Amino acid sequence: MKVIYLTGVEIYLIALLLIIVFSIIFSVIFFKYRNRKIRDLLEEVGKSNSFFLQDTDNKIYDFELENSDYKLLIKLVYVPANSSVTINSRNTWCLRYGGSPTRGYTNMKYLKRLIPFLEYKVLEKKTRKILLIFPQTNKVQRYLNESEIAILTPGEPVYDYRVISYLEFAARFQDLL
């Protein structure tokens, strides 16, 4: 019987490899759970309001809810729960996160991946663009001009789209129409 001895570097490499594998497995399970949760909500709200949910091959938005009167194009926006979203202009969104609402947020980034959806031109009259924030944010605010900021209410029109959080979607669905 031969005994194999591992050096310290080999042990660290094996441990690092195991951590990476478990992280990937956890991420896949978490993302599938999150996406299933969102899809279930959209299906439930759609059925109760006579809308049909369908996935889309369009890379600009994620889902469509449609009935005979309206078509809702839904783009998912994933944010940390302890965050704030600021709409600086029609196609510039700023996410601030970390810290707290009272002392300020420590991190900031621009949500550039939303630009194609925000600039997407809707040609049909009864089509609405919806940004669904998951899970929720402390506040969504927008600049009215260079010095004034307003807090948005769920479903309030901003430019040619509406913004609502996942937790408010079912209760405020009619505000989106």
Side-chain angles (χ1 to χ4, degrees), residues 11 16 18 22 32-33 36 41-42 96 119 121 123 126 158:
I11 291 172
L16 181 64
L18 287 173
F22 285 124
K32 283 188 176 189
Y33 171 75
R36 185 76 223 157
L41 173 74
L42 293 175
R96 296 180 191 277
E119 292 180 342
K121 299 289 183 202
L123 302 176
K126 297 283 186 157
V158 181

Side-chain angles (χ1 to χ4, degrees), residues 151-169:
I151 305 295
L152 293 179
T153 58
E156 179 180 339
V158 181
Y159 300 105
D160 64 339
Y161 49 84
R162 295 162 194 259
V163 182
I164 194 162
S165 75
Y166 169 83
L167 297 176
E168 298 168 325
F169 187 76

Side-chain angles (χ1 to χ4, degrees), residues 10 12 27 40 46 50 52 56 59 76 79 82 86-87 95 99 112 125 127-129 140 154 158 176-177:
E10 292 169 335
Y12 286 124
S27 295
D40 289 346
S50 302
F52 174 72
T56 179
K59 299 291 182 194
L76 301 175
V79 298
N82 185 21
T86 304
I87 302 170
L95 171 66
K112 293 179 182 178
K125 286 188 178 185
T127 301
R128 304 265 192 266
K129 292 179 0 184
V140 178
V158 181
L176 301 173
L177 304 177

Side-chain angles (χ1 to χ4, degrees), residues 53-69:
L53 175 68
Q54 58 189 25
D55 290 324
T56 179
D57 294 333
N58 192 330
K59 299 291 182 194
I60 295 175
Y61 52 92
D62 301 308
F63 296 101
E64 287 181 12
L65 273 173
E66 188 172 6
N67 70 4
S68 59
D69 296 327

